[in-house]
Amino acid sequence: MNSTMTLYRGTFLDTPSDPFSGGTLRTEQDGALLVRDGVIRARGGYADLRREHPEEELVDLTGGFVLPGFVDTHVHFPQVRVIGGLGMPLLDWLDQCALPEEARLADPAYAEGVATDFVSGLVGAGTTTALVFGSHFAPAVDTVFAEAARVGLRITSGLVVSDRLIREDLFTDPDRAREESLALASRWHGVGRARYAVTPRFSLSCSERLLEACGDVLRTVPGAMLTSHVNENTREIVTVEELCGCDYVTSYDRHGLVGPSTVLAHNVHPTDPELALLASRGAAVAHCPSSNAALGSGLFPLARHRAHGVRVAMGSDVGAGTGFSLLKEGLQAYVAQQLLADQGHPLTPAHLLHLATRAGAEALGLGDEVGDFTIGRRFDAQWIKPAPNTPLDVGLAHATDPTDALARTFALGNPADVHSVWIEGDLVRETKPALVG
Ligand SMILES: [Zn+2]
């Protein structure tokens, strides 16, 4: 951790107050953040802060602008190498594309390479915090925790468990799941920036006894999260209802798996009682619009989630999603709501930034630590600075105000436009900013 004081100069955009409840984009043009021990200690106009702190190291981030690091609330570590398997609905894609690759992670050496690719993909896209779907193999889960710790990425992850319907070499049993999960949690939960997430793959592939074991682990590890999938694809939903004899959300809830530390991905086809149940439990939904479009799962009913008071954040769902960038996910979320016409929820650039940062931090229980540039937060940040003469560079040069610049960034931006990334004040992406003074 960088224990000296550093003054970062630039244009800072964030969304501390929720645009879904009347909040707006906060902008600090030619502003500055004073950071010590990775924490934001002061913020304001550059000229004023520089006068108060004339001796501190200055990092000049003028040109482009600075956003909070993205928070990806649903992304699969083992799938980085199979992104782009287009042309299949969910269950075929799992059988033919994702699960054969997940089986390869039985080899810890292979898993190590995947972990390197995965963490690099996230950080390169400006993501500084992620709720990560782990592997079915405990040694592979160790590799992703280890690689995230090496780089500094803030992750919550865990052992993925299944004991029916998918390929058998990914199966566990309730006792083994309990034992391996607790061992992983004892090694990683609360160590550095890592936390543990109990991770049943989905109730389609988990027996009642296995979900019970998940509940045991969740109650045994204080502060652990629970993550899984829900209501993604209509064929999947019918099968879950036949197997479980209840709706999809209830299949988790009856084992004590739905609460304020729960993040369920997708929820493209929820019933109203399911939305009411999620809201009453304080659970969050990870919205993964690229994945929903690529697998033909459907258009996310954001307005119904909002109407029921269900918390929603953003996920890339790599590898069913088409890349790590939450800029692209923001654009896809916007497009999906446009396609829903009067059933859709209109989204401004501030909504998209909030979904990709602040909402994710809150969904992961990290709202006091990250998600915006309020004093007291960790300095998790990304400098958006496109190369000269690229369409985004041209767009930013002609943007009328910060909101317009942000809209252009969601429309045109990609990981190549993320010049530098900091986590808790440490520069974790290699491209060094200019140091002045
Ligand atoms: Zn997923």
Side-chain angles (χ1 to χ4, degrees):
M1 192 179 295
N2 189 345
S3 62
T4 57
M5 294 243 269
T6 304
L7 198 61
Y8 295 87
R9 177 185 190 180
T11 293
F12 298 87
L13 308 183
D14 65 352
T15 49
S17 58
D18 186 353
F20 289 97
S21 309
T24 54
L25 183 67
R26 176 166 67 172
T27 65
E28 191 79 59
Q29 286 184 277
D30 198 11
L33 301 182
L34 183 70
V35 174
R36 193 184 64 226
D37 296 333
V39 175
I40 300 169
R41 309 287 174 163
R43 57 172 291 153
Y46 168 71
D48 291 344
L49 268 185
R50 189 55 170 163
R51 204 173 306 117
E52 290 166 30
H53 301 276
E55 303 299 325
E56 310 304 346
E57 179 191 50
L58 177 67
V59 177
D60 188 352
L61 307 176
T62 52
F65 52 85
V66 187
L67 299 178
F70 286 141
V71 180
D72 190 335
T73 61
H74 186 70
V75 57
H76 292 255
F77 145 56
Q79 296 176 5
V80 56
R81 294 179 178 178
V82 295
I83 299 169
L86 302 178
M88 289 167 267
L90 173 67
L91 299 177
D92 298 334
W93 176 82
L94 281 170
D95 282 345
Q96 294 167 38
C97 189
L99 298 183
E101 174 71 2
E102 297 218 8
R104 289 181 199 114
L105 274 78
D107 172 3
Y110 187 81
E112 246 173 64
V114 174
T116 306
D117 293 345
F118 175 75
V119 169
S120 165
L122 281 173
V123 170
T127 295
T128 52
T129 297
L131 176 56
V132 174
F133 233 79
S135 166
H136 289 270
F137 304 102
V141 180
D142 278 313
T143 66
V144 77
F145 272 124
E147 179 62 7
R150 189 187 71 77
V151 170
L153 185 67
R154 197 183 300 285
I155 67 166
T156 305
S157 190
L159 181 71
V160 181
V161 298
S162 287
D163 65 351
R164 68 180 180 193
L165 285 182
I166 61 170
R167 51 187 292 157
E168 290 183 12
D169 53 358
L170 299 180
F171 284 1
T172 186
D173 61 62
D175 290 338
R176 188 179 134 206
R178 204 180 275 111
E179 190 182 313
E180 289 181 346
S181 300
L182 290 172
L184 279 163
S186 72
R187 286 198 288 281
W188 296 105
H189 185 59
V191 175
R193 294 166 194 156
R195 296 183 307 159
Y196 196 76
V198 180
T199 314
R201 181 156 207 122
F202 53 165
S203 45
L204 185 135
S205 72
C206 299
S207 69
E208 300 301 314
R209 286 189 55 237
L210 188 59
L211 291 175
E212 237 176 78
C214 289
D216 292 344
V217 177
L218 190 61
R219 285 182 290 276
T220 307
V221 181
M225 295 201 69
L226 183 292
T227 191
S228 193
H229 297 95
V230 73
N231 288 322
E232 180 174 3
N233 166 289
T234 48
R235 202 180 122 208
E236 168 216 17
I237 293 167
V238 169
T239 309
V240 165
E241 287 179 350
E242 284 169 6
L243 287 167
C244 301
C246 63
D247 69 54
Y248 213 141
V249 174
T250 301
S251 73
Y252 298 117
D253 186 63
R254 65 188 181 185
H255 295 287
L257 303 181
V258 182
S261 298
T262 298
V263 176
L264 296 175
H266 304 305
N267 212 30
V268 179
H269 307 284
T271 63
D272 284 335
E274 287 178 296
L275 288 169
L277 180 55
L278 288 169
S280 74
R281 296 283 188 260
V285 166
H287 172 33
C288 308
S290 292
S291 167
N292 297 161
L295 295 176
S297 300
L299 296 168
F300 181 69
L302 176 56
R304 287 178 58 220
H305 282 73
R306 295 302 312 175
H308 280 88
V310 179
R311 300 191 291 151
V312 175
M314 195 78 86
S316 67
D317 197 25
V318 153
T322 55
F324 286 101
S325 178
L326 291 194
L327 292 173
K328 178 159 64 177
E329 293 306 323
L331 178 64
Q332 288 291 322
Y334 166 83
V335 168
Q337 296 308 308
Q338 291 292 95
L339 290 171
L340 281 166
D342 50 357
Q343 303 288 308
H345 190 302
L347 294 173
T348 66
H351 286 106
L352 303 184
L353 183 61
H354 186 267
L355 285 167
T357 57
R358 183 82 211 139
E362 288 172 358
L364 269 53
L366 297 171
D368 291 339
E369 294 183 39
V370 297
D372 61 40
F373 293 135
T374 298
I375 292 170
R377 303 273 192 262
R378 320 277 175 197
F379 184 65
D380 285 15
Q382 52 178 319
W383 184 25
I384 304 288
K385 178 87 169 65
N389 305 318
T390 55
L392 180 56
D393 183 51
V394 172
L396 294 183
H398 295 276
T400 52
D401 59 31
T403 297
D404 189 24
L406 191 59
R408 291 163 187 252
T409 302
F410 275 105
L412 289 164
N414 64 63
D417 301 309
V418 178
H419 184 287
S420 305
V421 180
W422 295 262
I423 300 178
E424 218 158 314
D426 290 333
L427 185 68
V428 295
R429 187 178 160 86
E430 283 304 312
T431 322
K432 295 226 178 220
L435 285 173
V436 180

